[in-house]
Amino acid sequence: LFLSLTLLSLNRKKMNLKSERRGIHVDQSELLCKKGCGYYGNPAWQGFCSKCWREEYHKARQKQIQEDWELAERLQREEEEAYASSQSTQGAQSLTFSKFEEKKTNEKTRKVTTVKKFFTASSRAGAKKEIQEAKAPSPSINRQASIETDRVSKEFIEFLKTYHKPGQDIYKQCKLFLDTMNHKRDLSIEEQSECAQDFYQNVAEKLQTRWKVPPEKVEKAMDQIEKYIMTRQYKYVFCPETTDDEKKDLAVQKRIRALHWVTPQMLCVPVNEEIPEVSDMVVKAITDIIEMDSKRVPRDKLACITRCSKHIFNAIKITKNEPASADDFLPTLIYIVLKGNPPRLQSNIQYITRFCNPSRLMTGEDGYYFTNLCCAVAFIEKLDAQSLNLSQEDFDRFMTGQTSPKKQEPDSFSPDVCLGVKQMYKNLDLLSQLNERQERIVNEAKKLEKDLIDWTDGITKEVQDIVEKYPLEIKPKSQALAAIDSENVENDKLPPPLQPQVYAG
């Protein structure tokens, strides 16, 4: 019986531990490629790594090309049959035949163009653009290079001097790639990404096989090549207008703003911001994740993510006095993203996914931290009441701004609650008091306005009643009375003036 009770209590503890995770826990195996190759996967590649995703992409592309060929052949057979039947029924109607022949030629041309666009980089729009570029100089030639572009170009040339003959060939390959990309602006961003990934792979193979460059120098060379190429291509391939990257950025920003009420306790974040050193680490992590948008090179953006992640691990380590685990890292990263709300987050993730050297995303700490960031963003987009251990009604009210998490008294806070949380509740209390005062002032102002209107109406009514009861009568003007001592010539009926008399006593 004692053994049974012990097992039951352990099972309950395990269930409680699982419930405390609140849906944030992610098994490390879920970060790897779902094909089982051992490299890190990516939500942008549907869970595959860069290598497996390209294989799947090529398979799907070849399948689509084959289906288009079969469709073109079937349409051609149907038109030929329709042409043969119309020729037998209509006879020698030259006008009709010429129109049908013209239509048939146009349809064949359209089908061939539709199929060929999967194999060639040019299209009708692209051909027209190339003709215009042949007539006029390229805008990239006429525009003045930025200071950063000039600096990166000089650094790249100085770096290649240490490679002697291979350095010259690398520079030629990079210039050829840039010229090719300038003529492929009409391609989709996925096709441009495919061209960049093929270029990285070809140059890396040539460095290892043809030029016999050591592996450590190959990695440095690939970093410099990526920096040189993507600095010059940044304005064309980052958040292009042909994609919905900007729409996704706005959706993520709006989502993060709506989740401003989420506290570290809801996410089980093991970070105590009351410790000054931990608070500094949190600020540095937020600064690094925000700084990612100011970089041009995918490797530099990855470096910002790596620095942010290391600050997070240090903050957890200082708080817990022990090395941080992966289960502690992901909730804290989610909290940092919610608190920082990095600009153009989805665009930066897509840019890194499309144009970063694939070896950095498949292995190493950069790939691990980047995969965790993708998981954090995916978790934020799907965050619900169950993940935060809240009821659906409370979650909906918090999301709509009708209310905020219940205010806690200062005495009820646990000792490990960070200073920011206490300040937040204090500010919420102050805002609540200000809201009540504002409502009271507004109500009193409305009452005063009503009293003034009623008083004005009352006075007006009383005046009207008095005017109606005592109407004003205006009499004609009377003549002015003459002075008593003046001689009254006009009126002779007046008695004579009195004369003084002497009284004789």
Side-chain angles (χ1 to χ4, degrees), residues 481-489 494 497:
L481 298 176
I484 296 177
D485 297 334
S486 64
E487 295 182 358
N488 193 351
V489 181
L494 293 175

Side-chain angles (χ1 to χ4, degrees), residues 21 24-31 40 267-270 309 312-313 316 320 322-334 368-369 372-373 375-376:
R21 292 299 179 189
I24 302 178
H25 173 69
V26 175
D27 192 356
Q28 294 303 300
S29 61
E30 298 177 7
L31 302 178
Y40 290 119
L267 296 172
C268 298
V269 176
S309 302
I312 291 174
F313 273 107
I316 298 173
K320 300 180 66 176
E322 61 182 15
S325 63
D327 292 338
D328 295 331
F329 169 69
L330 184 58
T332 311
L333 179 61
I334 294 171
Y368 174 75
Y369 295 141
N372 276 273
L373 177 62
C375 292

